Amino acid sequence: MSVLTGKELRIVGFLCNWCSYGGADTAGVARATQPTDLRIIRVPCSGRVNPLFPLKALLSGADGVLVSGCHPRDCHYSAGNFYARRRLELLKEFLPIIGINPDRFEYTWVSASEGQRWQQVVTAFTDRIHKLGPAPRFKDAEPIYDLPGALTSLVRPLDCGGNPALDELKQQIRDALADGHLHCVVGWQQGYDPIHATPLHMRKPEDVDRLIWGPFNIHSTANMITQLIKEAQDAAMVGVKRGDPIPPAKKVGVVVKGCDSKGLVELLQEKLIDRNAVEIFAMGCNGTVSTDRILAKIGNTAARVSAVSGKGDTLTVTADGTEYTMSMNDIAQDKCRACKMPSAKVYDHFAGEPVTVAEDAVPEPAAIMAYLDSLTLDQRMGFWKGQMERCIRCHACRNACPMCVCREVCVADSREPHWVTQDDTVTNKFFFQLIHALHLAGRCTGCGECNRACPVGIPVGALKMQTGRIVQRLFDGYQPGTDADAIPPFLGYEVEEKNIPEHHIERA
Amino acid sequence: MKFAYYPGCSGKGTSVEYEISTKAVCSALGIYLQELADWSCCGSTPAHATDTLLSAALSARNLSLAAEAMKQSGATKLATPCPSCLANLKTARHHMANQEFRRKVDKLLDSPCPPLGPKGEEPLPETYSILQLLVEDYGLENIAAKVTRPLKGLKIAPYYGCLLSRPAPIMQFDDPENPTSMDRLLEALGAEVVPFPLKTECCGAAMGIPRRDITARLSARLLDAATTFGADMIAVACPLCHMNLDLRQEQAAKASGVSYDMPVLYFTQLMGIALGLPDSDLALDKLSVSPAAALQKIGKEISA
Amino acid sequence: MRIGVFICHCGSNIAGTVDCAQVAKNATAFPDVAFATDTMYACSEPGQDAIVAAVKEHHLDGVVVASCTPRMHEPTFRRTVERAGLNRYMFEMANIREHVSWIGKDKEANTNKATELVRMAVEKLRRDAPLYTKKFDSVKKVLVIGGGVAGIQAALDCADAGIQVVMVERETSIGGKMAKLDKTFPTVDCSSCILGPKMVDVAQHPNIKLLAASEVTNVSGYVGNFTVSIKRRATYVDWSKCTGCGLCTEKCPSKKTPDKFNEFMGPTTAINIPFPQAIPKKAAINPDYCRKIKDGKCGVCAKVCPTGAINYEMQDEVITEQVGAIVAASGYDLMDWTVYGEYGAGRYPDVITSLQYERLLSAAGPTGGHIQRPSDGKEPKSVVFIQCVGSRDRSIGRPYCSGFCCMYTAKQAVLTKDHIPDSQSYVFYMDIRAPGKMYDEFTRRAMEEYGTEYIRGRVSCIQPNGRGQYLVRGVDTLMGKPVEVLADLVVLAVGVEGAKGAGKLAETLHISYDHYGFFMESHCKLRPVETNTAGVFLAGACQGAKDIPSSVAQGSGAAAKVIGLLSKPQLESDPQISVVDIKRCVGCGKCVDVCPFQAITKQSIRGEVKAQVIEAVCQGCGLCVATCPQGAIQLSHFTDNQILAEVNALCQC
């Protein structure tokens, strides 16, 4: 439906039934004149407002979205608005990274008796939207195809020579496999060529021989954990008859770098895995590489690599008969450049000495974030338009994410609810990325696997990094995956929020 | 310990004994008071009652001087003995946080004040009373350790006056209704402090000129209370309170029909006695009501 | 679907600024709309009949009414469509009165807006599904928290209706604040004489189980089926043996125990019965002051007790009760008035609170009913009462009126004159609030017949004058002059707040409370004894400062709600609750963690962990839906797809 052209803009409101909808009614009873633009959707509680609703509205043509609920402490359902406050503040601060002016989204608290205030809120917000004018539409954005190639500096020297304690690690795994209490131990082995690795499921001591540790054990082993635990549970059920007691499943072993362990800890925080279901083997990581960067250095993405050797900063790759030397500085993955936790902090076995980074070392901000920060709102929208044109909806980004435990029932594949449709539009493809980013807010450990997995090289991790920045600011530097007892910020609340400001639209 | 020092006009005139004893006591305790060169009137009663901007400008000028002086000398805080100067200097600094107000004040000054920092930091120093610095910065135990002639046997009523702890958000010192800093200081000197419920009641202030009858009545009430509660003397920290209670004690007596003979001493004079300083440092002879009889209780003879 | 759309004129309320006929015409073009019309008054009898007729005539399976706010008539029209044979949830409303016609006069804009709101309602209705209520059993038992007069009334009314009552009282005796009063306004009845019989009724009622010296520590479950944990404090006296003879009190040597019942106006013994009419009339030991329990010495009470009821080894005990409803009647406490430094901040012994004065007035009090100054025991001749100490004072964050202080101050002034005929009382007031029956007449009597001097103005400070009296300095605003009164005794009418620990109790009961510890009622005008938590009701001062008749009325009101709730053979659940699609649930438990009512549990279904909603507890907020990443849990009637339908109806690009 189109708005009354020339007079109105499309402004959508989500109002909680008990306070704000009542407040709007009170304003009506008092005949408090308001501009006509606003269209109100009634919800039982501001806590019902999934941030995806305002986001969908804004991406689909709304010029402004307003959410209003009971005042904190007065929620009809006692705590709904506490959660809403955190989630909607996240949304508001997230919007600029995709090129939407955050002033177009507002959330506030209006009680059922505050009719006059509701009038002021609606008038002020409508005026604000009119001053901003019609919102730029994503579908009409001019695509920008530039992608920054800048490399950030390494926060510590990286070493592609592997870890001398690898034999110790292998022995620890062999010893653990010996008594059969482990279903398997997952690690890495060489893949089809020396610069590609694949997951290694070690079940017998001989399997352990193939374990590698070095610049090529790139994949997140945390990603495989939930599936392997399920596998172990299923294995325990073999031969069990109905009515028999269910025997305990064997433990699953996992070899982790520092970043992998963060994924594991986040899974522990959310109680998605039991600490007793996993046995963690850890060793210090000296950095991993981007195979794309290696192949770019060689100059041939189809190069046939026959040998690789690494020492210190220098990697020597033999491809198609020619030797290429390259520096870790040029080929290390972006996440390794800024890594401050190369060694797991939660583990059952640790081989060798922990690799640490100085407490006061300050990593450079990610290049993609610096780039996006330098763009205007319209340019950012164009950037994402340009990037998402390439998306083929393979969902590799989702599949590579350790925190994505929904797997076959992912919201992207469902009609109930129908957030993402089959429409082959850039907006639709982009909406999936936004869902993923918001679902990971406060949970993303920055493992960067989504970026790595994307076959067409879209920097989808930037959206999660944006939520990460917001979470750090709102919740006193909170980092997901570092404290197994911490409650993820969007699954909790404080009655008084230190860092979430009050938004007084009517006092503009 | 080094403090920048703003004496205030009365220190050189009607409350010269306060100035003398303050300097002597600080010197004896090893506190260096660096008097601000070219200090001028803070504005006090006449200015603050008629024009906030003028009053603030007069104070701001001195605060600017202090800022510079403290930078050069390394003095850590700005001190003043007079509560009225204190209130004016503190209030001016409080108002100067507002950029618009600051701009207007700077226009009245020859040299504008140093500007606020990038995060709104205020370069003009905060002012503290000598009483506060002695109690909080120097420390009561340290003072007690230096007492050579305890005031044991003297019953003293501590009188704070209206300004020292009020208005609470600006003065930020002690309890606004029932301050106890001077009480504890006098106890540290060995004196017996009598409960004095009127310790923050108004003495009549500057009404002594336009409406002498009001000052007489209010001061009489204070003197009455001190007598009723059994005090041998009243300790004060303010030149105007002192003037009303001591210099104008006869006027109070006439108003109430009662003769008081209640000595009123500055707390610094009492500190000086307890620290064993020579009489020339205490200027006891400047007092209108002689403390001779009361001081005999602690075996101190002075020339009446 | 075949949807019928009805655009209401509401007389000229809507039709005045909205072209209703045009809106109806526009609606006929919407998908699935089989019939659209405008109507004069949809909620009137002919209006509703027309809807029913249209449903039958046009074979409609869903109805949209565009009229006033759903908060007013949604239940009305749901019943209408049910009468027409449809499920009552196949109905949506568009608010085109409060949100459109009443807030602007631009007919073109309003008509367009009304059309769009109708479109949104139609799109939602297209995704709506019929919902059915379920019935479940309830426990015919009620928990009453608090044994003050409100709780007592609620308990007696419920018990008389045949409902089992468990009353939990924190102190060792019931009676609350009313038991502390000497006399009550406006009749100057003896408080314990009128309350006493009710207290005895509670003790003797076969349907009431009285648990004194007990506190509620945990509540779980849902309306009709609450599980309550109650901690029974050790009294060190076996109440099944104690006869209340009082011999232990006479012999106890620890005579400096603070006396809470007497507002700390005088000491009592470590073992005591709080007051003569206490119910239960049983002794209890204060372990902090008992020499036997603290130091192992003494033991006199055990020796003299004729029934051997003393047990120094007694421990706290936790018991569990199953109840169907809960009445919170935890009462009030006086706020901490020592923030008023100008009144001495508690340092002056003869500046006391009204409750403390009440104990002095009481014949069963620490002075045997003789008004004595705490400092020297002398009889005061000049008594100053100061009203509004901690009420109506924004400077300390207490803007509200405590409701009954004007009345009890007048009563106390009257009683003072009765006790000490040659005394003079003064009352400093801001306003006199005497709204009840015979209230204003009573305050007038205090002024005219009892010679109490009423001064309209506040007191700026109280200063002891060193001669045993206090100089009270205030102002008489009617005369325009400052005043000073020399008082022997000063009584402060201290403002009230929720009882100590009210906030924690509210959290235990999952109800809301305000800054001052008062519990939040459902609706401040129309539902004063209900809360937004199903099955939990309020009575008395815990909901807001109120006098005895109002507390008693609320006690009966809460009882009526409980009786209404539990008298049904079974309770009906609201079907607008969350439902889990176990095919899509991965058992992550996020919904379980965020539900404010703990209405979701993890269950093992065929060996897999899945979330399951306890239907009777779910309040229908939808927080779980917004939390579930894959949308496996959906709130019926507000599902993601239903709300998305409204969003997509508005934003389509």
Side-chain angles (χ1 to χ4, degrees), chain C residues 55-112:
Chain C
V55 167
K56 296 205 165 91
E57 190 188 325
H58 298 275
H59 309 290
L60 305 175
D61 52 14
V63 168
V64 169
V65 170
S67 61
C68 52
T69 173
R71 283 161 57 99
M72 180 167 267
H73 276 315
E74 188 173 61
T76 317
F77 290 121
R78 278 185 175 165
R79 285 195 293 275
T80 311
V81 306
E82 206 167 45
R83 277 203 309 281
L86 300 182
N87 180 287
R88 61 164 73 170
Y89 294 94
M90 298 307 290
F91 168 74
E92 288 294 330
M93 273 181 88
N95 183 339
I96 62 171
R97 189 182 71 173
E98 281 86 341
H99 291 181
V100 181
S101 71
W102 273 353
I103 62 167
K105 296 199 166 77
D106 180 342
K107 201 153 194 180
E108 190 197 358
N110 283 0
T111 308
N112 180 60

Coordinates of all heavy atoms in Angstrom, one line a residue, chain C residues 55-112:
Chain C
V55 N -22.7 -13.0 9.0 CA -21.8 -14.2 9.1 C -22.6 -15.4 8.5 O -22.1 -16.1 7.6 CB -21.4 -14.5 10.5 CG1 -20.8 -15.9 10.6 CG2 -20.4 -13.5 11.0
K56 N -23.9 -15.5 8.9 CA -24.7 -16.6 8.4 C -25.0 -16.4 6.9 O -24.9 -17.3 6.1 CB -26.0 -16.7 9.2 CG -25.7 -17.0 10.7 CD -26.9 -17.7 11.4 CE -26.5 -18.3 12.7 NZ -26.7 -17.3 13.8
E57 N -25.4 -15.2 6.5 CA -25.8 -15.0 5.2 C -24.7 -15.1 4.2 O -24.9 -15.7 3.1 CB -26.4 -13.6 5.0 CG -27.2 -13.3 3.7 CD -27.6 -11.9 3.6 OE1 -27.9 -11.3 4.6 OE2 -27.5 -11.4 2.4
H58 N -23.5 -14.6 4.5 CA -22.4 -14.6 3.5 C -21.4 -15.8 3.8 O -20.4 -15.8 3.2 CB -21.7 -13.3 3.5 CG -22.6 -12.1 3.1 ND1 -22.8 -11.8 1.8 CD2 -23.4 -11.3 3.9 CE1 -23.7 -10.8 1.8 NE2 -24.0 -10.5 3.0
H59 N -21.8 -16.7 4.7 CA -20.9 -17.8 5.0 C -19.5 -17.3 5.3 O -18.5 -17.8 4.8 CB -20.9 -18.8 3.8 CG -22.2 -19.2 3.3 ND1 -23.1 -20.0 4.1 CD2 -22.9 -18.8 2.2 CE1 -24.2 -20.1 3.4 NE2 -24.1 -19.4 2.3
L60 N -19.5 -16.4 6.2 CA -18.2 -15.8 6.6 C -17.5 -16.7 7.6 O -18.1 -17.4 8.4 CB -18.3 -14.4 7.3 CG -19.1 -13.4 6.4 CD1 -19.3 -12.1 7.2 CD2 -18.4 -13.1 5.1
D61 N -16.1 -16.8 7.5 CA -15.4 -17.6 8.5 C -14.4 -16.7 9.4 O -13.6 -17.2 10.1 CB -14.7 -18.7 7.9 CG -13.8 -18.3 6.7 OD1 -13.6 -17.1 6.6 OD2 -13.4 -19.2 5.9
G62 N -14.6 -15.4 9.2 CA -13.7 -14.5 10.0 C -14.3 -13.1 9.9 O -15.0 -12.7 8.9
V63 N -14.2 -12.3 11.0 CA -14.8 -11.0 11.0 C -13.8 -9.9 11.4 O -13.0 -10.1 12.3 CB -16.0 -11.0 12.0 CG1 -16.4 -9.5 12.3 CG2 -17.1 -11.8 11.5
V64 N -13.8 -8.8 10.7 CA -13.0 -7.6 11.1 C -14.0 -6.5 11.5 O -14.8 -6.2 10.7 CB -12.0 -7.1 10.0 CG1 -11.4 -5.8 10.3 CG2 -10.9 -8.2 9.8
V65 N -13.8 -5.9 12.6 CA -14.6 -4.7 13.0 C -13.7 -3.6 13.1 O -12.7 -3.6 13.9 CB -15.4 -4.9 14.3 CG1 -16.0 -3.6 14.7 CG2 -16.5 -6.0 14.1
A66 N -13.9 -2.5 12.4 CA -13.1 -1.3 12.5 C -13.9 -0.3 13.4 O -15.0 0.2 12.9 CB -12.8 -0.7 11.2
S67 N -13.5 -0.1 14.6 CA -14.3 0.8 15.5 C -13.4 1.4 16.5 O -12.3 2.0 16.2 CB -15.4 0.1 16.1 OG -14.9 -1.0 16.9
C68 N -13.7 1.2 17.8 CA -13.0 1.8 18.9 C -11.8 0.9 19.2 O -11.5 0.0 18.5 CB -13.9 1.9 20.1 SG -14.7 0.4 20.5
T69 N -11.2 1.1 20.4 CA -10.0 0.4 20.8 C -10.4 -1.0 21.2 O -11.4 -1.3 21.8 CB -9.2 1.1 21.9 OG1 -8.2 0.2 22.3 CG2 -10.1 1.4 23.1
P70 N -9.6 -2.0 20.8 CA -9.9 -3.4 21.2 C -9.8 -3.6 22.7 O -10.5 -4.5 23.3 CB -8.7 -4.2 20.5 CG -7.7 -3.2 20.1 CD -8.4 -1.9 19.9
R71 N -9.1 -2.6 23.4 CA -9.1 -2.7 24.8 C -10.4 -2.5 25.4 O -10.7 -2.8 26.6 CB -8.1 -1.7 25.4 CG -6.6 -2.2 25.2 CD -5.7 -1.0 25.4 NE -5.8 -0.3 26.7 CZ -5.0 -0.5 27.7 NH1 -4.0 -1.4 27.6 NH2 -5.2 0.1 28.8
M72 N -11.3 -1.9 24.6 CA -12.7 -1.7 25.1 C -13.6 -2.9 24.7 O -14.2 -3.5 25.5 CB -13.2 -0.4 24.6 CG -14.7 -0.1 25.0 SD -15.1 1.6 24.7 CE -14.7 2.4 26.2
H73 N -13.7 -3.1 23.4 CA -14.8 -4.0 22.9 C -14.3 -5.4 22.3 O -15.1 -6.1 21.7 CB -15.7 -3.3 21.9 CG -16.7 -2.5 22.7 ND1 -17.5 -3.1 23.7 CD2 -17.2 -1.3 22.5 CE1 -18.3 -2.2 24.1 NE2 -18.2 -1.1 23.4
E74 N -13.0 -5.7 22.3 CA -12.6 -7.0 21.7 C -13.4 -8.1 22.4 O -13.9 -9.0 21.7 CB -11.1 -7.2 21.9 CG -10.6 -8.4 21.1 CD -9.1 -8.5 21.1 OE1 -8.5 -8.6 22.2 OE2 -8.5 -8.5 20.0
P75 N -13.5 -8.1 23.7 CA -14.2 -9.2 24.3 C -15.7 -9.3 23.9 O -16.3 -10.3 23.6 CB -14.2 -9.0 25.8 CG -13.0 -8.1 26.0 CD -12.9 -7.3 24.8
T76 N -16.3 -8.1 23.7 CA -17.7 -8.0 23.3 C -17.9 -8.6 21.9 O -18.7 -9.5 21.7 CB -18.1 -6.5 23.1 OG1 -17.6 -5.8 24.2 CG2 -19.6 -6.4 23.0
F77 N -17.0 -8.2 21.0 CA -17.2 -8.7 19.6 C -16.8 -10.2 19.5 O -17.3 -10.9 18.7 CB -16.4 -7.9 18.6 CG -17.0 -6.5 18.4 CD1 -16.3 -5.4 18.7 CD2 -18.3 -6.4 17.9 CE1 -16.8 -4.1 18.5 CE2 -18.9 -5.1 17.8 CZ -18.1 -4.0 18.1
R78 N -15.8 -10.6 20.4 CA -15.5 -12.0 20.3 C -16.7 -12.9 20.7 O -17.0 -13.9 20.1 CB -14.3 -12.3 21.3 CG -13.0 -12.0 20.7 CD -11.9 -12.4 21.6 NE -10.6 -12.2 21.0 CZ -9.4 -12.1 21.7 NH1 -9.4 -12.3 23.0 NH2 -8.3 -11.9 21.0
R79 N -17.5 -12.4 21.7 CA -18.7 -13.1 22.0 C -19.7 -13.1 20.9 O -20.4 -14.1 20.7 CB -19.3 -12.5 23.3 CG -18.5 -12.9 24.6 CD -19.3 -12.6 25.8 NE -19.5 -11.2 26.0 CZ -18.6 -10.4 26.7 NH1 -17.5 -10.9 27.2 NH2 -18.9 -9.1 26.8
T80 N -19.7 -11.9 20.2 CA -20.7 -11.8 19.1 C -20.4 -12.9 18.0 O -21.3 -13.6 17.6 CB -20.5 -10.4 18.4 OG1 -20.6 -9.4 19.4 CG2 -21.6 -10.2 17.4
V81 N -19.1 -13.0 17.6 CA -18.8 -13.9 16.5 C -19.0 -15.4 17.0 O -19.3 -16.3 16.2 CB -17.4 -13.7 15.9 CG1 -17.2 -12.3 15.5 CG2 -16.3 -14.2 16.9
E82 N -18.8 -15.6 18.3 CA -19.0 -16.9 18.9 C -20.5 -17.3 18.8 O -20.9 -18.4 18.4 CB -18.6 -17.0 20.3 CG -18.2 -18.4 20.8 CD -17.5 -18.3 22.1 OE1 -17.9 -17.6 23.0 OE2 -16.4 -19.0 22.2
R83 N -21.4 -16.2 19.0 CA -22.8 -16.5 18.9 C -23.1 -16.8 17.4 O -24.1 -17.5 17.2 CB -23.6 -15.2 19.3 CG -23.8 -15.1 20.8 CD -25.0 -14.2 21.1 NE -25.0 -12.9 20.5 CZ -24.3 -11.9 20.9 NH1 -23.5 -12.0 21.9 NH2 -24.3 -10.7 20.2
A84 N -22.4 -16.2 16.5 CA -22.6 -16.5 15.1 C -22.1 -17.8 14.7 O -22.2 -18.2 13.5 CB -22.0 -15.4 14.3
G85 N -21.5 -18.6 15.6 CA -21.0 -19.9 15.3 C -19.6 -20.0 14.9 O -19.1 -21.1 14.5
L86 N -18.8 -18.9 15.0 CA -17.4 -19.0 14.7 C -16.6 -19.1 16.0 O -17.1 -18.8 17.1 CB -16.9 -17.7 14.0 CG -17.6 -17.3 12.7 CD1 -17.0 -16.0 12.1 CD2 -17.5 -18.5 11.7
N87 N -15.3 -19.6 15.8 CA -14.4 -19.6 16.9 C -14.1 -18.1 17.3 O -13.9 -17.3 16.4 CB -13.1 -20.3 16.6 CG -12.1 -20.3 17.7 OD1 -11.5 -19.3 18.0 ND2 -12.0 -21.5 18.3
R88 N -14.1 -17.7 18.6 CA -14.0 -16.3 18.9 C -12.7 -15.7 18.6 O -12.5 -14.5 18.6 CB -14.3 -16.1 20.4 CG -13.3 -16.9 21.3 CD -13.3 -16.4 22.7 NE -14.5 -16.8 23.4 CZ -14.7 -16.7 24.7 NH1 -13.8 -16.1 25.4 NH2 -15.8 -17.1 25.3
Y89 N -11.7 -16.5 18.2 CA -10.4 -15.9 17.8 C -10.2 -15.6 16.3 O -9.2 -15.2 15.9 CB -9.2 -16.8 18.4 CG -9.2 -16.8 19.9 CD1 -9.8 -17.8 20.6 CD2 -8.6 -15.8 20.6 CE1 -9.9 -17.8 22.0 CE2 -8.6 -15.7 22.0 CZ -9.3 -16.7 22.6 OH -9.3 -16.7 24.0
M90 N -11.3 -15.9 15.6 CA -11.3 -15.6 14.2 C -11.9 -14.2 14.0 O -12.8 -14.0 13.3 CB -12.1 -16.6 13.4 CG -11.5 -18.0 13.5 SD -9.7 -18.1 13.0 CE -9.8 -17.8 11.3
F91 N -11.3 -13.3 14.8 CA -11.8 -12.0 14.8 C -10.7 -11.0 15.0 O -9.8 -11.2 15.8 CB -12.8 -11.9 16.0 CG -13.2 -10.4 16.3 CD1 -14.1 -9.7 15.4 CD2 -12.7 -9.8 17.4 CE1 -14.4 -8.4 15.7 CE2 -13.0 -8.5 17.7 CZ -13.9 -7.8 16.8
E92 N -10.7 -9.9 14.3 CA -9.7 -8.8 14.5 C -10.4 -7.5 14.5 O -11.4 -7.3 13.9 CB -8.7 -8.8 13.4 CG -7.7 -10.0 13.4 CD -6.8 -10.0 14.6 OE1 -6.5 -8.9 15.1 OE2 -6.4 -11.1 15.1
M93 N -9.7 -6.5 15.2 CA -10.3 -5.2 15.3 C -9.3 -4.2 14.7 O -8.0 -4.4 14.9 CB -10.6 -4.8 16.7 CG -12.0 -5.2 17.2 SD -12.3 -4.7 18.8 CE -13.0 -3.0 18.5
A94 N -9.8 -3.1 14.1 CA -8.9 -2.0 13.7 C -9.4 -0.8 14.5 O -10.6 -0.5 14.5 CB -9.0 -1.8 12.2
N95 N -8.5 -0.2 15.2 CA -8.8 1.0 16.0 C -8.8 2.2 15.2 O -7.8 2.8 14.9 CB -7.7 1.1 17.1 CG -8.0 2.2 18.1 OD1 -8.8 3.1 17.8 ND2 -7.5 2.1 19.3
I96 N -10.0 2.6 14.7 CA -10.1 3.8 13.9 C -10.8 5.0 14.6 O -11.1 6.0 14.0 CB -10.8 3.6 12.5 CG1 -12.3 3.1 12.8 CG2 -10.0 2.5 11.7 CD1 -13.1 3.0 11.5
R97 N -10.9 4.8 15.9 CA -11.5 5.9 16.7 C -10.4 6.6 17.5 O -10.0 7.7 17.2 CB -12.6 5.4 17.6 CG -13.4 6.5 18.2 CD -14.5 6.1 19.1 NE -14.0 5.5 20.4 CZ -14.8 5.1 21.4 NH1 -16.1 5.2 21.3 NH2 -14.3 4.6 22.5
E98 N -9.9 5.9 18.6 CA -8.9 6.6 19.4 C -7.6 6.9 18.6 O -6.9 7.8 19.0 CB -8.6 5.6 20.6 CG -9.6 5.6 21.8 CD -10.7 4.7 21.6 OE1 -10.9 4.3 20.4 OE2 -11.4 4.3 22.5
H99 N -7.3 6.0 17.6 CA -6.1 6.2 16.9 C -6.2 7.0 15.6 O -5.3 7.2 15.0 CB -5.4 4.9 16.7 CG -4.9 4.2 17.9 ND1 -4.3 3.0 17.9 CD2 -5.0 4.6 19.2 CE1 -4.0 2.6 19.2 NE2 -4.4 3.6 20.0
V100 N -7.5 7.2 15.2 CA -7.6 7.9 13.9 C -8.6 9.1 14.0 O -8.2 10.3 14.0 CB -8.2 7.0 12.8 CG1 -8.3 7.7 11.5 CG2 -7.2 5.8 12.6
S101 N -9.9 8.8 14.2 CA -10.9 9.8 14.1 C -10.8 10.9 15.2 O -11.1 12.0 15.0 CB -12.3 9.2 14.1 OG -12.7 8.7 15.4
W102 N -10.4 10.5 16.4 CA -10.3 11.4 17.5 C -9.1 12.2 17.5 O -9.0 13.1 18.3 CB -10.5 10.6 18.8 CG -11.9 10.4 19.2 CD1 -13.0 10.9 18.6 CD2 -12.4 9.6 20.3 NE1 -14.2 10.5 19.3 CE2 -13.8 9.7 20.3 CE3 -11.7 8.9 21.3 CZ2 -14.6 9.1 21.3 CZ3 -12.5 8.2 22.2 CH2 -13.9 8.3 22.2
I103 N -8.0 11.9 16.7 CA -6.8 12.6 16.8 C -6.5 13.5 15.7 O -5.4 14.1 15.5 CB -5.6 11.7 17.1 CG1 -5.4 10.7 15.9 CG2 -5.8 10.9 18.4 CD1 -4.1 10.0 16.0
G104 N -7.5 13.7 14.8 CA -7.2 14.6 13.7 C -8.5 14.8 12.9 O -9.4 14.0 12.9
K105 N -8.5 15.9 12.1 CA -9.8 16.2 11.4 C -9.6 16.1 9.8 O -10.6 16.4 9.1 CB -10.2 17.6 11.8 CG -10.6 17.7 13.2 CD -11.5 19.0 13.4 CE -12.2 18.9 14.8 NZ -11.3 19.3 15.9
D106 N -8.4 15.7 9.4 CA -8.2 15.6 7.9 C -8.9 14.4 7.4 O -8.4 13.3 7.5 CB -6.7 15.6 7.7 CG -6.4 15.5 6.2 OD1 -7.2 15.2 5.4 OD2 -5.2 15.8 5.9
K107 N -10.1 14.6 6.8 CA -10.9 13.4 6.4 C -10.2 12.5 5.4 O -10.3 11.3 5.4 CB -12.2 13.9 5.8 CG -13.3 12.9 5.8 CD -14.7 13.5 5.9 CE -15.7 12.4 6.3 NZ -17.1 12.9 6.4
E108 N -9.5 13.2 4.4 CA -8.8 12.3 3.4 C -7.7 11.5 4.0 O -7.7 10.2 3.8 CB -8.2 13.3 2.4 CG -7.7 12.5 1.1 CD -6.7 13.3 0.3 OE1 -6.4 14.5 0.7 OE2 -6.2 12.8 -0.7
A109 N -6.9 12.1 4.9 CA -5.8 11.3 5.5 C -6.4 10.3 6.5 O -6.0 9.1 6.5 CB -4.9 12.3 6.3
N110 N -7.5 10.6 7.2 CA -8.1 9.7 8.1 C -8.7 8.5 7.4 O -8.6 7.3 7.8 CB -9.2 10.3 9.0 CG -8.6 11.2 10.1 OD1 -7.4 11.3 10.2 ND2 -9.4 11.9 10.8
T111 N -9.4 8.8 6.3 CA -10.0 7.7 5.5 C -8.9 6.7 5.0 O -9.1 5.5 5.0 CB -10.9 8.2 4.4 OG1 -11.8 9.2 4.9 CG2 -11.6 7.1 3.7
N112 N -7.9 7.3 4.5 CA -6.8 6.5 4.0 C -6.2 5.7 5.1 O -5.9 4.5 4.9 CB -5.7 7.4 3.4 CG -4.5 6.6 2.9 OD1 -4.7 5.8 2.0 ND2 -3.3 6.9 3.4

